[in-house]
Amino acid sequence: MEPGLASRVARSAAQPLSGCLSRHSLSPWLKIQNHIYPMPSLCHKVPSTGKCHASMTTSYMETSDVTDLDWENLGFGLIETDFMYVAKCGTDGIFSKGEVLPFGPIALSPSAGVLNYGQGLFEGLKAYRKTDGSILLFRPEENAIRMLSGAERMCMPAPTVEQFVDAVKQTVLANKRWVPPTGKGSLYIRPLLIGSGAVLGLAPAPEYSFIIFVSPVGNYFKEGLSPINLIVEDKFHRASPGGTGGVKTIGNYASVLKAQKIAKGKGYSDVLYLDAVHDKYLEEVSSCNIFVVKDNVISTPAIKGTILPGITRKSIIEVAQSKGFKVEERLVCVDELINADEVFCTGTAVVVSPVGSVTYMGKRVEYGNQGVGVVSQQLYKSLTSLQMGNVEDWMGWTMQLNQ
């Protein structure tokens, strides 16, 4: 957690939005983990505990439990589901009650802050179905904390950790028939925080919307756990010091599309970026963190403001350390790719994706065992077993939802 954020999330009550920054309330999120939540009853209200906190209200119609979907061939693309969650927040920093509404278009003014000045954040997390039919969420409070941090950087109010987790829970349960069967994929959850209010001059928007939608997904890379092929980008940069590379703002992703398109046109899976100052230190792939393995040491670029603090990254580090690996968070030179035993990427969408080759300055480095290294396989199995509830959750990371 970045300096100062711990004290912000520890506050028990939020204050009205003032100027560019807001304070946010936080219920003790540690108590949320590993609890079993029942399906919320219609129009059941939970009293609000502070400002900038949507009342936890659910009002939606039940749908059929039958989903006509080819689970065996599920890719990573949008499949429209039944419901979405919406809450609003005005200039006073107080969110209205959250509602679960039918999935569909949202109305925005052409002068909305998000459309004109890119004032927006998003998160990504997943829900998994266990063999007994129950549904698990994986570390949703970490996404909530990251949104709080990003919101401060982008001059936005944000939902509390408690509200964020409750909204995710409601949205998943409302769309429970879209959670894939065990081993067939997951339900990808996309929370959005956007400046929805109209603004003409450059300034924070006067209104904000917190929205969550979901979609069943399979593998992000078509290769699945098979190795991907990366090219090191030497012309474009993803982020620069002092910018927004360290928060999950929407603008970070549009800027990588050109380099990614060029790379895919040449047959590569994705792009690996270098730092914008020295052009020699690894940063991250377009939407993934990167890890380099040498002997029993796993190295990954340190979080220093230009790299997104991935939740899967954090989880892999903790799992690796629990298994006796030495993990170093430091500057990782591009030259270290040449002698690496294996390389892999991590992210919510990909989980763990082994790298089969990296091409840099016209030279291609390939990794043994067709790129699927022993370490990446071990960590992938350990993490996915936790996420899917196939093993006892010794880390305390999952949240089970009753249906």
Side-chain angles (χ1 to χ4, degrees):
M1 192 180 301
E2 69 180 68
L5 182 57
S7 61
R8 293 196 300 276
V9 300
R11 296 184 180 116
S12 61
Q15 301 296 324
L17 183 66
S18 176
C20 195
L21 301 178
S22 65
R23 295 182 179 181
H24 310 282
S25 66
L26 174 64
S27 294
W29 59 267
L30 286 174
K31 296 181 180 179
I32 297 173
Q33 301 185 76
N34 253 349
H35 286 186
I36 298 178
Y37 289 86
M39 183 72 169
S41 59
L42 297 182
C43 298
H44 173 66
K45 296 185 179 181
V46 178
S48 176
T49 56
K51 295 183 178 180
C52 239
H53 179 77
S55 61
M56 300 170 193
T57 303
T58 304
S59 179
Y60 54 83
M61 296 179 63
E62 290 287 348
T63 55
S64 168
D65 286 336
V66 178
T67 304
D68 184 17
L69 205 60
D70 182 4
W71 299 115
E72 298 295 333
N73 297 293
L74 194 59
F76 197 93
L78 177 65
I79 296 173
E80 294 188 1
T81 53
D82 299 318
F83 299 102
M84 61 184 184
Y85 177 95
V86 180
K88 300 273 187 181
C89 182
T91 54
D92 58 1
I94 303 174
F95 276 92
S96 67
K97 70 176 183 179
E99 297 180 277
V100 177
L101 304 172
F103 179 91
I106 58 175
L108 283 177
S109 167
S111 61
V114 66
L115 299 180
N116 290 263
Y117 301 115
Q119 197 182 22
L121 297 165
F122 75 90
E123 281 296 326
L125 61 158
K126 288 179 176 178
Y128 298 86
R129 192 178 295 279
K130 295 177 63 176
T131 53
D132 64 4
S134 61
I135 298 171
L136 291 181
L137 297 178
F138 183 72
R139 309 191 78 175
E141 74 288 339
E142 292 289 342
N143 295 89
I145 291 171
R146 189 168 65 180
M147 179 169 277
L148 279 165
S149 176
E152 182 177 56
R153 176 65 177 84
M154 300 299 289
C155 298
M156 307 166 74
T160 66
V161 172
E162 182 183 29
Q163 178 197 340
F164 182 104
V165 173
D166 182 78
V168 167
K169 176 192 67 173
Q170 290 186 41
T171 311
V172 171
L173 289 173
N175 293 287
K176 63 183 180 181
R177 72 190 186 106
W178 297 97
V179 182
T182 305
K184 305 299 182 183
S186 58
L187 188 70
Y188 188 85
I189 306 161
R190 173 56 59 83
L192 295 164
L193 182 62
I194 62 172
S196 51
V199 60
L200 186 59
L202 178 58
E207 177 195 82
Y208 297 88
S209 295
F210 176 49
I211 303 168
I212 303 176
F213 68 92
V214 297
S215 175
V217 297
N219 292 322
Y220 181 79
F221 289 118
K222 67 181 188 302
E223 296 92 338
L225 190 59
S226 298
I228 61 172
N229 300 299
L230 302 177
I231 182 170
V232 178
E233 178 56 52
D234 57 1
K235 294 184 177 64
F236 300 104
H237 293 98
R238 176 191 167 273
S240 59
T244 57
V247 299
K248 207 167 178 64
T249 179
I250 59 177
N252 290 349
Y253 296 85
S255 63
V256 307
L257 294 177
K258 185 175 180 64
Q260 189 182 64
K261 181 179 179 180
I262 294 171
K264 290 186 175 182
K266 295 178 179 179
Y268 298 102
S269 307
D270 215 325
V271 176
L272 174 57
Y273 291 90
L274 300 178
D275 74 288
V277 177
H278 305 286
D279 268 330
K280 71 174 186 177
Y281 297 112
L282 304 184
E283 294 245 307
E284 61 180 86
V285 182
S286 301
S287 59
C288 311
N289 294 114
I290 191 84
F291 288 77
V292 177
V293 182
K294 183 64 178 177
D295 299 325
N296 200 47
V297 179
I298 303 173
S299 301
T300 191
I303 300 299
K304 50 184 174 58
T306 57
I307 297 171
L308 188 71
I311 293 160
T312 307
R313 171 190 182 276
K314 178 179 180 179
S315 302
I316 282 292
I317 289 173
E318 294 178 35
V319 168
Q321 290 172 332
S322 74
K323 292 186 173 298
F325 288 100
K326 179 181 180 182
V327 181
E328 296 179 345
E329 297 182 70
R330 59 177 175 81
L331 292 176
V332 181
C333 183
V334 65
D335 294 337
E336 294 183 49
L337 294 172
I338 298 173
N339 298 314
D341 295 332
E342 56 183 288
V343 177
F344 62 88
C345 300
T346 65
T348 299
V350 304
V351 187
V352 174
S353 187
V355 176
S357 73
V358 175
T359 300
Y360 176 53
M361 302 296 285
K363 296 181 180 180
R364 181 184 176 100
V365 178
E366 297 185 346
Y367 302 100
N369 195 27
Q370 288 77 50
V372 185
V374 174
V375 175
S376 55
Q377 279 186 306
Q378 181 181 357
L379 296 178
Y380 173 82
K381 182 178 180 180
S382 296
L383 186 59
T384 54
S385 293
L386 278 169
Q387 291 175 327
M388 297 178 187
N390 295 333
V391 296
E392 181 182 355
D393 181 10
W394 75 89
M395 304 296 282
W397 287 344
T398 57
M399 176 191 298
Q400 182 170 314
L401 307 182
N402 273 354
Q403 302 176 65

